[in-house]
Amino acid sequence: ETGVTQSPTHLIKTRGQQVTLRCSSQSGHNTVSWYQQALGQGPQFIFQYYREEKNGRGNFPPRFSGLQFPNYSSELNVNALELDDSALYLCASSSAGANVLTFGAGSRLTVL
Amino acid sequence: AQKVTQAQTEISVVEKEDVTLDCVYETRDTTYYLFWYKQPPSGELVFLIRRNSFDEQNEISGRYSWNFQKSTSSFNFTITASQVVDSAVYFCALSEGTGANSKLTFGKGITLSVRP
């Protein structure tokens, strides 16, 4: 059973650019959640997708968008990058009706 | 609004010591879940334990135990006979409601260092 995999693991962007982060959910899971973890902070909920539909959103601006594919993998897109977007972006998957999340190792984004 | 407070920021112990990590939460819901996750240097959050708001029975699982008290809104986690491999950041989290459509609210985490 493979876990949650995320790509890329590290990336550096400049302010104003756009970035796409990818996530493959654990086998058998149909729900994907994205979290942002700033340095020294706990993860903050960005949004969740269930069967390709958005199923909840945290307090993040519309620059943060995403989608889920039929195979339940997911993408997080961030437009017009700002310095404060520098963080570890964590993807987590779960099965329907379960609230125990399986997390990936994250994508560390640095915005210069 | 829900909130999780982890007042301790860093704890350092010597191997084989017991260590307790504190967590206080706020919620208006009567149905909720509490979690502890561990984040090693590799970055991924590893699920440790979950309790629901209707079950205050405290349990022990190997070297881990937890103390859930609704009266004080606390959900403390204890590691017995700590080991160097326990060194990590530990997060307490709260999920309101039930099912997969409930988001997790995390505390700021506690950095645990276990010295040999």
PDB file of all heavy atoms in Angstrom, chain A residues 54-89:
ATOM      1  N   LYS A  54     -15.028  20.414  -4.542  1.00  0.00           N
ATOM      2  CA  LYS A  54     -14.493  21.088  -3.362  1.00  0.00           C
ATOM      3  C   LYS A  54     -15.464  20.897  -2.203  1.00  0.00           C
ATOM      4  O   LYS A  54     -16.677  21.093  -2.339  1.00  0.00           O
ATOM      5  CB  LYS A  54     -14.294  22.574  -3.630  1.00  0.00           C
ATOM      6  CG  LYS A  54     -13.504  23.274  -2.525  1.00  0.00           C
ATOM      7  CD  LYS A  54     -13.229  24.725  -2.866  1.00  0.00           C
ATOM      8  CE  LYS A  54     -12.298  24.853  -4.031  1.00  0.00           C
ATOM      9  NZ  LYS A  54     -11.994  26.251  -4.372  1.00  0.00           N
ATOM     10  N   ASN A  55     -14.909  20.545  -1.059  1.00  0.00           N
ATOM     11  CA  ASN A  55     -15.743  20.131   0.066  1.00  0.00           C
ATOM     12  C   ASN A  55     -15.342  20.879   1.334  1.00  0.00           C
ATOM     13  O   ASN A  55     -15.299  20.321   2.396  1.00  0.00           O
ATOM     14  CB  ASN A  55     -15.566  18.619   0.270  1.00  0.00           C
ATOM     15  CG  ASN A  55     -16.564  18.050   1.235  1.00  0.00           C
ATOM     16  OD1 ASN A  55     -17.684  18.536   1.347  1.00  0.00           O
ATOM     17  ND2 ASN A  55     -16.169  17.034   1.969  1.00  0.00           N
ATOM     18  N   GLY A  56     -15.042  22.142   1.192  1.00  0.00           N
ATOM     19  CA  GLY A  56     -14.633  22.944   2.338  1.00  0.00           C
ATOM     20  C   GLY A  56     -13.413  23.756   1.984  1.00  0.00           C
ATOM     21  O   GLY A  56     -12.550  23.299   1.222  1.00  0.00           O
ATOM     22  N   ARG A  57     -13.330  24.970   2.523  1.00  0.00           N
ATOM     23  CA  ARG A  57     -12.228  25.868   2.232  1.00  0.00           C
ATOM     24  C   ARG A  57     -11.872  26.650   3.490  1.00  0.00           C
ATOM     25  O   ARG A  57     -12.762  27.080   4.233  1.00  0.00           O
ATOM     26  CB  ARG A  57     -12.603  26.836   1.108  1.00  0.00           C
ATOM     27  CG  ARG A  57     -11.448  27.705   0.655  1.00  0.00           C
ATOM     28  CD  ARG A  57     -11.852  28.697  -0.427  1.00  0.00           C
ATOM     29  NE  ARG A  57     -10.698  29.524  -0.811  1.00  0.00           N
ATOM     30  CZ  ARG A  57      -9.868  29.227  -1.801  1.00  0.00           C
ATOM     31  NH1 ARG A  57     -10.069  28.143  -2.526  1.00  0.00           N
ATOM     32  NH2 ARG A  57      -8.835  30.004  -2.099  1.00  0.00           N
ATOM     33  N   GLY A  58     -10.596  26.841   3.709  1.00  0.00           N
ATOM     34  CA  GLY A  58     -10.123  27.632   4.839  1.00  0.00           C
ATOM     35  C   GLY A  58     -10.009  29.101   4.462  1.00  0.00           C
ATOM     36  O   GLY A  58     -10.470  29.529   3.404  1.00  0.00           O
ATOM     37  N   ASN A  59      -9.392  29.865   5.329  1.00  0.00           N
ATOM     38  CA  ASN A  59      -9.299  31.308   5.146  1.00  0.00           C
ATOM     39  C   ASN A  59      -8.093  31.665   4.283  1.00  0.00           C
ATOM     40  O   ASN A  59      -7.121  32.264   4.756  1.00  0.00           O
ATOM     41  CB  ASN A  59      -9.215  31.981   6.521  1.00  0.00           C
ATOM     42  CG  ASN A  59      -9.330  33.488   6.422  1.00  0.00           C
ATOM     43  OD1 ASN A  59      -9.912  34.009   5.475  1.00  0.00           O
ATOM     44  ND2 ASN A  59      -8.785  34.181   7.399  1.00  0.00           N
ATOM     45  N   PHE A  60      -8.148  31.309   3.026  1.00  0.00           N
ATOM     46  CA  PHE A  60      -7.081  31.619   2.078  1.00  0.00           C
ATOM     47  C   PHE A  60      -7.679  32.386   0.900  1.00  0.00           C
ATOM     48  O   PHE A  60      -8.823  32.152   0.520  1.00  0.00           O
ATOM     49  CB  PHE A  60      -6.403  30.332   1.588  1.00  0.00           C
ATOM     50  CG  PHE A  60      -5.401  29.792   2.552  1.00  0.00           C
ATOM     51  CD1 PHE A  60      -5.797  29.024   3.642  1.00  0.00           C
ATOM     52  CD2 PHE A  60      -4.051  30.066   2.399  1.00  0.00           C
ATOM     53  CE1 PHE A  60      -4.877  28.544   4.558  1.00  0.00           C
ATOM     54  CE2 PHE A  60      -3.116  29.585   3.309  1.00  0.00           C
ATOM     55  CZ  PHE A  60      -3.541  28.822   4.378  1.00  0.00           C
ATOM     56  N   PRO A  61      -6.895  33.291   0.301  1.00  0.00           N
ATOM     57  CA  PRO A  61      -7.425  34.109  -0.805  1.00  0.00           C
ATOM     58  C   PRO A  61      -7.661  33.257  -2.048  1.00  0.00           C
ATOM     59  O   PRO A  61      -7.146  32.139  -2.166  1.00  0.00           O
ATOM     60  CB  PRO A  61      -6.314  35.144  -1.025  1.00  0.00           C
ATOM     61  CG  PRO A  61      -5.074  34.500  -0.509  1.00  0.00           C
ATOM     62  CD  PRO A  61      -5.511  33.656   0.643  1.00  0.00           C
ATOM     63  N   PRO A  62      -8.430  33.807  -3.005  1.00  0.00           N
ATOM     64  CA  PRO A  62      -8.744  33.073  -4.247  1.00  0.00           C
ATOM     65  C   PRO A  62      -7.508  32.726  -5.065  1.00  0.00           C
ATOM     66  O   PRO A  62      -7.584  31.887  -5.963  1.00  0.00           O
ATOM     67  CB  PRO A  62      -9.649  34.049  -4.998  1.00  0.00           C
ATOM     68  CG  PRO A  62     -10.231  34.923  -3.945  1.00  0.00           C
ATOM     69  CD  PRO A  62      -9.169  35.073  -2.905  1.00  0.00           C
ATOM     70  N   ARG A  63      -6.354  33.357  -4.758  1.00  0.00           N
ATOM     71  CA  ARG A  63      -5.109  32.991  -5.465  1.00  0.00           C
ATOM     72  C   ARG A  63      -4.779  31.496  -5.268  1.00  0.00           C
ATOM     73  O   ARG A  63      -4.042  30.920  -6.054  1.00  0.00           O
ATOM     74  CB  ARG A  63      -3.916  33.805  -4.932  1.00  0.00           C
ATOM     75  CG  ARG A  63      -4.023  35.279  -5.023  1.00  0.00           C
ATOM     76  CD  ARG A  63      -2.723  35.962  -4.605  1.00  0.00           C
ATOM     77  NE  ARG A  63      -2.374  35.787  -3.215  1.00  0.00           N
ATOM     78  CZ  ARG A  63      -1.370  35.012  -2.772  1.00  0.00           C
ATOM     79  NH1 ARG A  63      -0.627  34.328  -3.632  1.00  0.00           N
ATOM     80  NH2 ARG A  63      -1.090  34.938  -1.478  1.00  0.00           N
ATOM     81  N   PHE A  64      -5.308  30.946  -4.219  1.00  0.00           N
ATOM     82  CA  PHE A  64      -5.104  29.521  -3.937  1.00  0.00           C
ATOM     83  C   PHE A  64      -6.281  28.744  -4.542  1.00  0.00           C
ATOM     84  O   PHE A  64      -7.434  28.941  -4.149  1.00  0.00           O
ATOM     85  CB  PHE A  64      -5.035  29.272  -2.434  1.00  0.00           C
ATOM     86  CG  PHE A  64      -3.780  29.776  -1.784  1.00  0.00           C
ATOM     87  CD1 PHE A  64      -3.610  31.129  -1.523  1.00  0.00           C
ATOM     88  CD2 PHE A  64      -2.767  28.898  -1.425  1.00  0.00           C
ATOM     89  CE1 PHE A  64      -2.449  31.601  -0.930  1.00  0.00           C
ATOM     90  CE2 PHE A  64      -1.609  29.363  -0.826  1.00  0.00           C
ATOM     91  CZ  PHE A  64      -1.445  30.716  -0.578  1.00  0.00           C
ATOM     92  N   SER A  65      -5.978  27.890  -5.487  1.00  0.00           N
ATOM     93  CA  SER A  65      -7.025  27.095  -6.112  1.00  0.00           C
ATOM     94  C   SER A  65      -6.534  25.666  -6.271  1.00  0.00           C
ATOM     95  O   SER A  65      -5.341  25.383  -6.114  1.00  0.00           O
ATOM     96  CB  SER A  65      -7.413  27.678  -7.470  1.00  0.00           C
ATOM     97  OG  SER A  65      -6.309  27.621  -8.357  1.00  0.00           O
ATOM     98  N   GLY A  66      -7.456  24.790  -6.580  1.00  0.00           N
ATOM     99  CA  GLY A  66      -7.041  23.408  -6.725  1.00  0.00           C
ATOM    100  C   GLY A  66      -8.040  22.618  -7.533  1.00  0.00           C
ATOM    101  O   GLY A  66      -9.059  23.140  -7.991  1.00  0.00           O
ATOM    102  N   LEU A  67      -7.715  21.364  -7.713  1.00  0.00           N
ATOM    103  CA  LEU A  67      -8.663  20.453  -8.330  1.00  0.00           C
ATOM    104  C   LEU A  67      -8.276  19.033  -7.976  1.00  0.00           C
ATOM    105  O   LEU A  67      -7.153  18.764  -7.539  1.00  0.00           O
ATOM    106  CB  LEU A  67      -8.716  20.638  -9.852  1.00  0.00           C
ATOM    107  CG  LEU A  67      -7.504  20.272 -10.710  1.00  0.00           C
ATOM    108  CD1 LEU A  67      -7.957  20.030 -12.132  1.00  0.00           C
ATOM    109  CD2 LEU A  67      -6.477  21.377 -10.677  1.00  0.00           C
ATOM    110  N   GLN A  68      -9.231  18.154  -8.165  1.00  0.00           N
ATOM    111  CA  GLN A  68      -8.991  16.729  -7.942  1.00  0.00           C
ATOM    112  C   GLN A  68      -9.363  15.989  -9.217  1.00  0.00           C
ATOM    113  O   GLN A  68     -10.367  16.297  -9.860  1.00  0.00           O
ATOM    114  CB  GLN A  68      -9.826  16.219  -6.762  1.00  0.00           C
ATOM    115  CG  GLN A  68      -9.513  14.774  -6.379  1.00  0.00           C
ATOM    116  CD  GLN A  68     -10.319  14.285  -5.203  1.00  0.00           C
ATOM    117  OE1 GLN A  68     -11.458  14.715  -4.989  1.00  0.00           O
ATOM    118  NE2 GLN A  68      -9.758  13.378  -4.417  1.00  0.00           N
ATOM    119  N   PHE A  69      -8.561  15.004  -9.563  1.00  0.00           N
ATOM    120  CA  PHE A  69      -8.759  14.255 -10.793  1.00  0.00           C
ATOM    121  C   PHE A  69      -9.548  12.973 -10.512  1.00  0.00           C
ATOM    122  O   PHE A  69      -9.689  12.557  -9.362  1.00  0.00           O
ATOM    123  CB  PHE A  69      -7.403  13.944 -11.414  1.00  0.00           C
ATOM    124  CG  PHE A  69      -6.622  15.184 -11.771  1.00  0.00           C
ATOM    125  CD1 PHE A  69      -5.599  15.634 -10.942  1.00  0.00           C
ATOM    126  CD2 PHE A  69      -6.918  15.911 -12.914  1.00  0.00           C
ATOM    127  CE1 PHE A  69      -4.888  16.791 -11.256  1.00  0.00           C
ATOM    128  CE2 PHE A  69      -6.213  17.060 -13.227  1.00  0.00           C
ATOM    129  CZ  PHE A  69      -5.202  17.498 -12.397  1.00  0.00           C
ATOM    130  N   PRO A  70     -10.049  12.322 -11.602  1.00  0.00           N
ATOM    131  CA  PRO A  70     -10.833  11.091 -11.416  1.00  0.00           C
ATOM    132  C   PRO A  70     -10.083  10.004 -10.659  1.00  0.00           C
ATOM    133  O   PRO A  70     -10.705   9.153 -10.018  1.00  0.00           O
ATOM    134  CB  PRO A  70     -11.154  10.665 -12.852  1.00  0.00           C
ATOM    135  CG  PRO A  70     -11.168  11.947 -13.621  1.00  0.00           C
ATOM    136  CD  PRO A  70     -10.091  12.787 -13.005  1.00  0.00           C
ATOM    137  N   ASN A  71      -8.757   9.999 -10.725  1.00  0.00           N
ATOM    138  CA  ASN A  71      -8.011   8.984  -9.966  1.00  0.00           C
ATOM    139  C   ASN A  71      -7.730   9.449  -8.537  1.00  0.00           C
ATOM    140  O   ASN A  71      -6.954   8.816  -7.821  1.00  0.00           O
ATOM    141  CB  ASN A  71      -6.693   8.643 -10.665  1.00  0.00           C
ATOM    142  CG  ASN A  71      -5.726   9.818 -10.716  1.00  0.00           C
ATOM    143  OD1 ASN A  71      -6.066  10.928 -10.302  1.00  0.00           O
ATOM    144  ND2 ASN A  71      -4.531   9.566 -11.199  1.00  0.00           N
ATOM    145  N   TYR A  72      -8.360  10.576  -8.140  1.00  0.00           N
ATOM    146  CA  TYR A  72      -8.284  11.146  -6.796  1.00  0.00           C
ATOM    147  C   TYR A  72      -6.965  11.843  -6.492  1.00  0.00           C
ATOM    148  O   TYR A  72      -6.792  12.327  -5.374  1.00  0.00           O
ATOM    149  CB  TYR A  72      -8.610  10.118  -5.716  1.00  0.00           C
ATOM    150  CG  TYR A  72      -9.949   9.472  -5.908  1.00  0.00           C
ATOM    151  CD1 TYR A  72     -10.090   8.087  -5.887  1.00  0.00           C
ATOM    152  CD2 TYR A  72     -11.077  10.247  -6.146  1.00  0.00           C
ATOM    153  CE1 TYR A  72     -11.329   7.498  -6.097  1.00  0.00           C
ATOM    154  CE2 TYR A  72     -12.318   9.667  -6.354  1.00  0.00           C
ATOM    155  CZ  TYR A  72     -12.437   8.286  -6.324  1.00  0.00           C
ATOM    156  OH  TYR A  72     -13.659   7.713  -6.528  1.00  0.00           O
ATOM    157  N   SER A  73      -6.059  11.919  -7.454  1.00  0.00           N
ATOM    158  CA  SER A  73      -4.899  12.766  -7.243  1.00  0.00           C
ATOM    159  C   SER A  73      -5.351  14.221  -7.286  1.00  0.00           C
ATOM    160  O   SER A  73      -6.490  14.528  -7.688  1.00  0.00           O
ATOM    161  CB  SER A  73      -3.828  12.498  -8.296  1.00  0.00           C
ATOM    162  OG  SER A  73      -4.301  12.864  -9.583  1.00  0.00           O
ATOM    163  N   SER A  74      -4.468  15.118  -6.876  1.00  0.00           N
ATOM    164  CA  SER A  74      -4.902  16.509  -6.734  1.00  0.00           C
ATOM    165  C   SER A  74      -3.772  17.474  -7.057  1.00  0.00           C
ATOM    166  O   SER A  74      -2.592  17.109  -7.012  1.00  0.00           O
ATOM    167  CB  SER A  74      -5.387  16.739  -5.300  1.00  0.00           C
ATOM    168  OG  SER A  74      -5.757  18.090  -5.076  1.00  0.00           O
ATOM    169  N   GLU A  75      -4.163  18.680  -7.386  1.00  0.00           N
ATOM    170  CA  GLU A  75      -3.210  19.778  -7.598  1.00  0.00           C
ATOM    171  C   GLU A  75      -3.598  20.978  -6.755  1.00  0.00           C
ATOM    172  O   GLU A  75      -4.792  21.233  -6.530  1.00  0.00           O
ATOM    173  CB  GLU A  75      -3.212  20.212  -9.083  1.00  0.00           C
ATOM    174  CG  GLU A  75      -2.494  19.311 -10.025  1.00  0.00           C
ATOM    175  CD  GLU A  75      -2.463  19.873 -11.438  1.00  0.00           C
ATOM    176  OE1 GLU A  75      -3.054  20.955 -11.670  1.00  0.00           O
ATOM    177  OE2 GLU A  75      -1.848  19.220 -12.289  1.00  0.00           O
ATOM    178  N   LEU A  76      -2.578  21.676  -6.292  1.00  0.00           N
ATOM    179  CA  LEU A  76      -2.769  22.973  -5.626  1.00  0.00           C
ATOM    180  C   LEU A  76      -2.062  24.012  -6.485  1.00  0.00           C
ATOM    181  O   LEU A  76      -0.885  23.853  -6.805  1.00  0.00           O
ATOM    182  CB  LEU A  76      -2.176  22.947  -4.218  1.00  0.00           C
ATOM    183  CG  LEU A  76      -1.970  24.301  -3.525  1.00  0.00           C
ATOM    184  CD1 LEU A  76      -3.306  24.979  -3.264  1.00  0.00           C
ATOM    185  CD2 LEU A  76      -1.199  24.123  -2.206  1.00  0.00           C
ATOM    186  N   ASN A  77      -2.786  25.042  -6.881  1.00  0.00           N
ATOM    187  CA  ASN A  77      -2.223  26.121  -7.672  1.00  0.00           C
ATOM    188  C   ASN A  77      -2.236  27.411  -6.857  1.00  0.00           C
ATOM    189  O   ASN A  77      -3.228  27.722  -6.205  1.00  0.00           O
ATOM    190  CB  ASN A  77      -3.043  26.332  -8.955  1.00  0.00           C
ATOM    191  CG  ASN A  77      -3.041  25.107  -9.829  1.00  0.00           C
ATOM    192  OD1 ASN A  77      -2.034  24.745 -10.408  1.00  0.00           O
ATOM    193  ND2 ASN A  77      -4.186  24.450  -9.924  1.00  0.00           N
ATOM    194  N   VAL A  78      -1.125  28.125  -6.923  1.00  0.00           N
ATOM    195  CA  VAL A  78      -1.063  29.419  -6.262  1.00  0.00           C
ATOM    196  C   VAL A  78      -0.584  30.438  -7.284  1.00  0.00           C
ATOM    197  O   VAL A  78       0.490  30.282  -7.885  1.00  0.00           O
ATOM    198  CB  VAL A  78      -0.105  29.412  -5.055  1.00  0.00           C
ATOM    199  CG1 VAL A  78      -0.206  30.736  -4.296  1.00  0.00           C
ATOM    200  CG2 VAL A  78      -0.418  28.248  -4.124  1.00  0.00           C
ATOM    201  N   ASN A  79      -1.402  31.453  -7.510  1.00  0.00           N
ATOM    202  CA  ASN A  79      -1.064  32.515  -8.460  1.00  0.00           C
ATOM    203  C   ASN A  79      -0.509  33.729  -7.728  1.00  0.00           C
ATOM    204  O   ASN A  79      -0.709  33.896  -6.523  1.00  0.00           O
ATOM    205  CB  ASN A  79      -2.322  32.926  -9.237  1.00  0.00           C
ATOM    206  CG  ASN A  79      -2.839  31.819 -10.116  1.00  0.00           C
ATOM    207  OD1 ASN A  79      -2.066  31.084 -10.722  1.00  0.00           O
ATOM    208  ND2 ASN A  79      -4.152  31.686 -10.183  1.00  0.00           N
ATOM    209  N   ALA A  80       0.184  34.578  -8.504  1.00  0.00           N
ATOM    210  CA  ALA A  80       0.691  35.844  -7.970  1.00  0.00           C
ATOM    211  C   ALA A  80       1.378  35.636  -6.624  1.00  0.00           C
ATOM    212  O   ALA A  80       0.981  36.221  -5.604  1.00  0.00           O
ATOM    213  CB  ALA A  80      -0.454  36.848  -7.838  1.00  0.00           C
ATOM    214  N   LEU A  81       2.389  34.806  -6.612  1.00  0.00           N
ATOM    215  CA  LEU A  81       3.052  34.434  -5.374  1.00  0.00           C
ATOM    216  C   LEU A  81       3.547  35.639  -4.584  1.00  0.00           C
ATOM    217  O   LEU A  81       4.068  36.618  -5.147  1.00  0.00           O
ATOM    218  CB  LEU A  81       4.225  33.505  -5.666  1.00  0.00           C
ATOM    219  CG  LEU A  81       3.857  32.056  -6.014  1.00  0.00           C
ATOM    220  CD1 LEU A  81       5.051  31.332  -6.585  1.00  0.00           C
ATOM    221  CD2 LEU A  81       3.306  31.344  -4.797  1.00  0.00           C
ATOM    222  N   GLU A  82       3.391  35.552  -3.271  1.00  0.00           N
ATOM    223  CA  GLU A  82       3.878  36.570  -2.348  1.00  0.00           C
ATOM    224  C   GLU A  82       4.922  35.938  -1.430  1.00  0.00           C
ATOM    225  O   GLU A  82       4.969  34.716  -1.277  1.00  0.00           O
ATOM    226  CB  GLU A  82       2.710  37.132  -1.529  1.00  0.00           C
ATOM    227  CG  GLU A  82       1.615  37.754  -2.362  1.00  0.00           C
ATOM    228  CD  GLU A  82       0.440  38.239  -1.535  1.00  0.00           C
ATOM    229  OE1 GLU A  82       0.458  38.067  -0.297  1.00  0.00           O
ATOM    230  OE2 GLU A  82      -0.511  38.792  -2.134  1.00  0.00           O
ATOM    231  N   LEU A  83       5.735  36.793  -0.812  1.00  0.00           N
ATOM    232  CA  LEU A  83       6.789  36.277   0.058  1.00  0.00           C
ATOM    233  C   LEU A  83       6.214  35.406   1.175  1.00  0.00           C
ATOM    234  O   LEU A  83       6.810  34.388   1.545  1.00  0.00           O
ATOM    235  CB  LEU A  83       7.582  37.448   0.657  1.00  0.00           C
ATOM    236  CG  LEU A  83       8.336  38.341  -0.330  1.00  0.00           C
ATOM    237  CD1 LEU A  83       9.067  39.460   0.409  1.00  0.00           C
ATOM    238  CD2 LEU A  83       9.316  37.529  -1.170  1.00  0.00           C
ATOM    239  N   ASP A  84       5.046  35.800   1.689  1.00  0.00           N
ATOM    240  CA  ASP A  84       4.432  35.053   2.791  1.00  0.00           C
ATOM    241  C   ASP A  84       3.895  33.688   2.374  1.00  0.00           C
ATOM    242  O   ASP A  84       3.468  32.908   3.228  1.00  0.00           O
ATOM    243  CB  ASP A  84       3.282  35.864   3.409  1.00  0.00           C
ATOM    244  CG  ASP A  84       3.799  37.007   4.270  1.00  0.00           C
ATOM    245  OD1 ASP A  84       5.015  37.019   4.558  1.00  0.00           O
ATOM    246  OD2 ASP A  84       2.999  37.883   4.643  1.00  0.00           O
ATOM    247  N   ASP A  85       3.922  33.402   1.087  1.00  0.00           N
ATOM    248  CA  ASP A  85       3.486  32.078   0.637  1.00  0.00           C
ATOM    249  C   ASP A  85       4.584  31.036   0.846  1.00  0.00           C
ATOM    250  O   ASP A  85       4.357  29.838   0.659  1.00  0.00           O
ATOM    251  CB  ASP A  85       3.104  32.108  -0.847  1.00  0.00           C
ATOM    252  CG  ASP A  85       1.893  32.985  -1.112  1.00  0.00           C
ATOM    253  OD1 ASP A  85       1.060  33.150  -0.196  1.00  0.00           O
ATOM    254  OD2 ASP A  85       1.788  33.508  -2.241  1.00  0.00           O
ATOM    255  N   SER A  86       5.765  31.482   1.228  1.00  0.00           N
ATOM    256  CA  SER A  86       6.849  30.544   1.533  1.00  0.00           C
ATOM    257  C   SER A  86       6.432  29.664   2.698  1.00  0.00           C
ATOM    258  O   SER A  86       6.137  30.163   3.795  1.00  0.00           O
ATOM    259  CB  SER A  86       8.130  31.306   1.893  1.00  0.00           C
ATOM    260  OG  SER A  86       8.622  32.043   0.796  1.00  0.00           O
ATOM    261  N   ALA A  87       6.413  28.349   2.474  1.00  0.00           N
ATOM    262  CA  ALA A  87       5.911  27.427   3.497  1.00  0.00           C
ATOM    263  C   ALA A  87       6.076  26.001   3.004  1.00  0.00           C
ATOM    264  O   ALA A  87       6.453  25.751   1.864  1.00  0.00           O
ATOM    265  CB  ALA A  87       4.436  27.700   3.793  1.00  0.00           C
ATOM    266  N   LEU A  88       5.761  25.063   3.898  1.00  0.00           N
ATOM    267  CA  LEU A  88       5.658  23.655   3.546  1.00  0.00           C
ATOM    268  C   LEU A  88       4.188  23.385   3.233  1.00  0.00           C
ATOM    269  O   LEU A  88       3.309  23.664   4.058  1.00  0.00           O
ATOM    270  CB  LEU A  88       6.122  22.774   4.713  1.00  0.00           C
ATOM    271  CG  LEU A  88       6.075  21.263   4.504  1.00  0.00           C
ATOM    272  CD1 LEU A  88       7.086  20.828   3.445  1.00  0.00           C
ATOM    273  CD2 LEU A  88       6.330  20.532   5.823  1.00  0.00           C
ATOM    274  N   TYR A  89       3.904  22.867   2.066  1.00  0.00           N
ATOM    275  CA  TYR A  89       2.531  22.570   1.668  1.00  0.00           C
ATOM    276  C   TYR A  89       2.326  21.060   1.783  1.00  0.00           C
ATOM    277  O   TYR A  89       2.985  20.269   1.111  1.00  0.00           O
ATOM    278  CB  TYR A  89       2.254  23.073   0.254  1.00  0.00           C
ATOM    279  CG  TYR A  89       2.173  24.587   0.229  1.00  0.00           C
ATOM    280  CD1 TYR A  89       3.329  25.351   0.105  1.00  0.00           C
ATOM    281  CD2 TYR A  89       0.954  25.237   0.395  1.00  0.00           C
ATOM    282  CE1 TYR A  89       3.267  26.737   0.131  1.00  0.00           C
ATOM    283  CE2 TYR A  89       0.879  26.613   0.425  1.00  0.00           C
ATOM    284  CZ  TYR A  89       2.047  27.367   0.295  1.00  0.00           C
ATOM    285  OH  TYR A  89       1.983  28.720   0.331  1.00  0.00           O
TER     286      TYR A  89
END
